[in-house]
Amino acid sequence: MAPPSPSQIKSAMQQAIQLRQSGQFSQSLQLLQKVLAVAPRLAEAHYHLALTASELHLPRTAVKALKTADRLKPKTPEILKALCSAQMACYQHKEALKTLNRLRMLLPKKRSIRLDEALIRMQLGDFDASNKLIEGLITEVPTYGENYRSYVQPRRIQAGDPIIDKMLAVYDLPEVTAKSRCHLAYALGKAYGDLREDDKVFTYLHEANRLQREYAAPNMEGAAEEVDRLIAAQQDVVLPPITETDARPIPIFVCGMPRSGTTLVERILGRHSEVTNAEELAIGSKLARASLGGTTKEPGNLKDVAQNTLETVARRLRAALTECADGSAKYVTDKSIMTFLTMPALTMAMPDARFVVVRRDPRDVALSIYRNHFAEGTHKYAFKLEDIAKQVILFQKCVEAFRDQMGDRMIEVQYEDLVEDPDTQIPRLVNGVNLQWQDACLHPEEGEGAVRTLSLGQVRVPVYKSAKGGWRRFADEMKPFIETYEALSNVPLRD
């Protein structure tokens, strides 16, 4: 494709935007690069290039483009918002705070900017500053539910905390939207759990999840069919031997069900001097699925994938790992929990990759999923205990189908064993991903940098056992999960 002429710039820009909106991100990026070769001072082109780069999980490229757009067209809120998001995606959280400060000066009445600042400070572990900001927002807008959930989620609520009465005072007000009431219900469920007023916890959790499910009911039958097709497309392929090339970084994929301990495992590995964390990229499985060819309903077979397609997967994934990670380490962890769906395909593309599968008592997994709010559009099965059971079965089915095929390149970690005996299990984990032992791995709570998952509070304290067996407090409420799981797996759950 030749660069556009000056008279073609406008139409080329429109085409690039349309390509991005239709999901053709690589083509959009290439066209925008050609536009900028002709019109390097066109701020709009830099802005849209950044949006496209973000879709490709290239946040450092996005940051560079947005800084240029900002110089060319300063004081533009859309540019600053996008810059803040890109900076957070590549762990530039302190720079993101500076960007937010500029945005707040432009939009002083925009309360969402202060909530964004509170969330960034929370991810950095500055809980006091975060709570102060959220408390101010609650005072100003007492009916906005997300503020309460953001306040409650990272801390343990103590008896006498006025936040309980504040939430109850607004919970049934007619002006509270369904979305805000959903956030309030999650927050109240969390707070009463902290206070061990267990008889109240599920009253609010059921309501929170009912409201969520109204907007995002899952297709569990379709999910089961997709898992069967992905297993069939990959299971019979003989994988290459484990090899290490000069390509960098080398990925360590950490996967499992949500709330199973994947963040803890990632932070343990991230304490190693040769490892840095990229958290959840979600691009690996997308690339692997695309490489299989066919359609989502009928994927092709892994044995038919061309070598150049696999090389493209590896190149794009390494680029994303490099741009999203904090630093330039030899190894980068990717905690995209759904990676278990495409482990063989990723192995064919990257024979040097290692995989950690984290497992936990399904009852504790289900309880933690049900009591937490996930990003909109994700984990739609999370809103019903029976659906969570079905999803756990699908996860286990994939791991069992691929276990022998993956061999030594995959290590399984049991969360309960890890927290019960970290002095034994952490060295086993480190050795299992082919790293030399370093004592720092025993102290994941000392890791620096932001944590962008729901475990942002838990992983900043030493490894603890108190979450083990927490489902027993709610055994009666958990019966829909337990009965569904046992019926589907034909395996009784025992203590």
Side-chain angles (χ1 to χ4, degrees):
M1 182 189 301
S5 66
S7 62
Q8 296 172 322
I9 292 296
K10 185 175 180 179
S11 62
M13 281 292 303
Q14 292 173 341
Q15 182 184 355
I17 294 170
Q18 290 171 355
L19 286 169
R20 188 187 81 243
Q21 292 173 340
S22 65
Q24 299 178 71
F25 305 123
S26 294
Q27 296 91 324
S28 176
L29 186 70
Q30 292 171 10
L31 181 54
L32 287 164
Q33 288 170 335
K34 293 183 182 296
V35 167
L36 287 168
V38 177
R41 295 189 58 79
L42 185 59
E44 182 184 7
H46 289 284
Y47 171 72
H48 285 287
L49 185 146
L51 298 184
T52 305
S54 294
E55 294 284 0
L56 291 167
H57 299 273
L58 301 173
R60 293 182 192 275
T61 297
V63 167
K64 182 179 179 180
L66 287 163
K67 285 185 174 180
T68 302
D70 182 38
R71 287 196 299 271
L72 294 169
K73 197 173 181 180
K75 299 183 180 180
T76 304
E78 290 76 15
I79 292 174
L80 292 176
K81 289 177 185 177
L83 176 58
C84 180
S85 296
Q87 288 168 328
M88 290 175 63
C90 53
Y91 284 92
Q92 297 177 7
H93 281 61
K94 293 181 180 179
E95 293 300 313
L97 286 174
K98 295 177 183 178
T99 302
L100 269 185
N101 186 54
R102 292 179 56 203
L103 189 59
R104 184 171 56 244
M105 293 174 67
L106 290 174
L107 304 170
K109 296 182 179 180
K110 194 78 171 176
R111 295 189 182 96
S112 62
I113 297 173
R114 276 184 284 160
L115 180 57
D116 288 341
E117 180 184 347
L119 296 177
I120 293 175
R121 293 192 181 281
M122 192 184 299
Q123 291 175 6
L124 286 169
D126 188 357
F127 297 116
D128 289 341
S130 175
N131 287 338
K132 185 175 181 180
L133 285 164
I134 295 173
E135 286 169 354
L137 289 168
I138 288 173
T139 299
E140 292 179 32
V141 194
T143 58
Y144 188 66
E146 188 172 355
N147 291 333
Y148 296 97
R149 186 180 60 79
S150 298
Y151 177 89
V152 168
Q153 194 267 324
R155 63 192 297 176
R156 183 169 293 279
I157 301 301
Q158 303 292 330
D161 193 317
I163 196 68
I164 300 285
D165 290 338
K166 289 180 180 179
M167 290 191 286
L168 292 173
V170 302
Y171 185 75
D172 289 318
L173 292 178
E175 61 265 36
V176 174
T177 66
K179 184 176 181 180
S180 279
R181 186 167 287 107
C182 176
H183 286 290
L184 277 162
Y186 276 117
L188 282 162
K190 163 69 165 58
Y192 282 125
D194 290 344
L195 296 173
R196 303 192 76 83
E197 296 186 31
D198 293 350
D199 58 317
K200 300 177 182 178
V201 171
F202 268 75
T203 299
Y204 291 102
L205 291 185
H206 285 325
E207 178 64 7
N209 284 285
R210 182 192 68 79
L211 290 167
Q212 286 270 77
R213 193 175 172 82
E214 284 186 359
Y215 297 100
N219 177 7
M220 296 309 296
E221 288 186 10
E225 292 171 0
E226 181 183 13
V227 166
D228 287 341
R229 287 190 292 265
L230 285 169
I231 289 174
Q234 302 172 86
Q235 191 175 22
D236 295 330
V237 176
V238 177
L239 301 179
I242 300 172
T243 57
E244 185 172 317
T245 68
D246 293 332
R248 295 290 183 270
I250 298 171
I252 301 174
F253 295 101
V254 180
C255 60
M257 287 294 296
R259 314 300 298 156
S260 63
T262 53
T263 300
L264 173 60
V265 167
E266 184 185 50
R267 295 286 285 187
I268 289 169
L269 295 174
R271 290 287 288 141
H272 197 282
S273 63
E274 292 188 301
V275 180
T276 191
N277 302 145
E279 291 196 6
E280 299 180 30
L281 296 189
I283 188 175
S285 282
K286 291 179 183 177
L287 289 171
R289 290 192 202 196
S291 74
L292 293 172
T295 65
T296 302
K297 293 186 176 181
E298 295 294 338
N301 196 290
L302 180 56
K303 66 184 179 184
D304 299 324
V305 178
Q307 183 60 34
N308 63 340
T309 299
L310 295 171
E311 291 171 355
T312 299
V313 170
R315 183 176 62 254
R316 288 186 58 184
L317 185 50
R318 288 192 207 275
L321 289 167
T322 298
E323 293 217 2
C324 293
D326 182 13
S328 56
K330 179 179 179 180
Y331 300 90
V332 175
T333 61
D334 177 0
K335 194 185 74 68
S336 299
I337 56 178
M338 300 298 285
T339 300
F340 62 82
L341 291 168
T342 53
M343 290 190 291
L346 286 168
T347 298
M348 288 295 289
M350 309 176 83
D352 55 350
R354 297 297 181 121
F355 298 81
V356 181
V357 176
V358 186
R359 309 187 75 144
R360 185 183 181 188
D361 186 314
R363 294 162 293 192
D364 281 330
V365 167
L367 174 60
S368 190
I369 288 174
Y370 197 66
R371 70 198 307 177
N372 275 286
H373 178 276
F374 295 93
E376 188 173 342
T378 66
H379 306 302
K380 294 180 181 180
Y381 59 83
F383 316 138
K384 189 176 181 181
L385 289 167
E386 293 90 339
D387 288 344
I388 299 174
K390 294 173 184 177
Q391 185 66 24
V392 173
I393 294 294
L394 295 181
F395 158 66
Q396 293 176 345
K397 186 175 185 178
C398 270
V399 176
E400 289 159 10
F402 298 144
R403 181 182 289 116
D404 291 341
Q405 186 182 15
M406 295 296 293
D408 291 342
R409 70 181 77 240
M410 182 184 87
I411 179 173
E412 295 181 64
V413 174
Q414 189 68 35
Y415 172 81
E416 289 78 10
D417 295 341
L418 185 63
V419 299
E420 190 70 36
D421 186 13
D423 290 345
T424 299
Q425 294 301 319
I426 291 177
R428 173 181 171 271
L429 165 64
V430 172
N431 180 68
V433 295
N434 202 36
L435 294 172
Q436 295 295 315
W437 174 248
Q438 293 181 0
D439 289 344
C441 296
L442 287 171
H443 303 285
E445 75 279 3
E446 296 178 6
E448 297 180 355
V451 181
R452 299 180 297 208
T453 72
L454 290 171
S455 302
L456 54 85
Q458 294 97 312
V459 297
R460 295 189 185 278
V461 298
V463 176
Y464 58 92
K465 309 174 189 177
S466 59
K468 179 181 174 182
W471 68 272
R472 292 186 182 89
R473 289 169 52 192
F474 308 100
D476 289 340
E477 292 86 352
M478 292 296 294
K479 282 182 180 178
F481 170 83
I482 294 170
E483 291 171 357
T484 303
Y485 178 88
E486 291 183 336
L488 291 172
S489 67
N490 294 315
V491 176
L493 289 165
R494 294 187 174 91
D495 292 345

